[in-house]
Amino acid sequence: MAATAKAVVCLCLCLTACQVRGSFVPQEMNRTLKTLLNHYEIPPEVRYNGNLVFSREPLTGKVEVQKVYMAGVLETYEKLLGHMMKQPHTSSPVTAGGDVQQNAGTAVGAETELKKDIRKKLESIVTKVKDLREHQFQEQEKLLHRLQSLRHIKMDNLEVQSKALSELPWLYDSASNLANNSTRQRRRRRQAWKIKTHPKAKN
């Protein structure tokens, strides 16, 4: 529960930061997140213990690399929000250790309405996250899935080992060619910049 609440906090903070920079987050989405934060409440000592669910360290490198990472974050959020929608949504308080204290006095009818309301709000947030991921990070998502598939290669399988050896020359050549093209592109950009900033004097 504590991890879930902290994830909601991270999402709210990330979206708020986006809003400050370029007003990408709809006001209705911000209001929904604030309502959810009131429900997924955790003690201040847990919320501000420094253990973030998602790192807020500034991303460096090329934009495409940053987009791949953000695609992974959005996909993770979508899975997390989907998991949260399947959980029982009670308004029970949380201890410092993240354990839920059951509220025995909650009326069944009120609890049912609360579940519906929380689920509806979670659905609206997951829809926003899903739309952003599918419309703006589709190529990066495909790349992520290909990267994830590499984790499932059976290292101890003889067939895999033999095929991998036979496939290595093509892959090694492709990787080297990609690195070489990238180096040449950087060199051309530097040369173009030098010519632009330091034009040769006319005779």
Side-chain angles (χ1 to χ4, degrees), residues 102-154:
Q102 297 299 330
N103 187 349
T106 303
V108 176
E111 185 176 341
T112 301
E113 289 301 316
L114 176 64
K115 289 181 180 180
K116 290 180 180 179
D117 183 57
I118 294 300
R119 181 179 177 82
K120 183 177 179 180
K121 286 179 169 56
L122 287 171
E123 284 178 345
S124 69
I125 296 298
V126 77
T127 298
K128 291 288 186 183
V129 172
K130 184 177 181 180
D131 287 346
L132 177 60
R133 179 180 59 80
E134 290 183 345
H135 295 151
Q136 301 297 332
F137 296 88
Q138 195 173 51
E139 292 183 6
Q140 289 76 19
E141 183 184 9
K142 292 179 181 178
L143 175 58
L144 271 176
H145 289 167
R146 293 183 68 175
L147 289 172
Q148 291 168 357
S149 68
L150 296 177
R151 298 179 180 179
H152 303 295
I153 291 178
K154 299 177 181 178

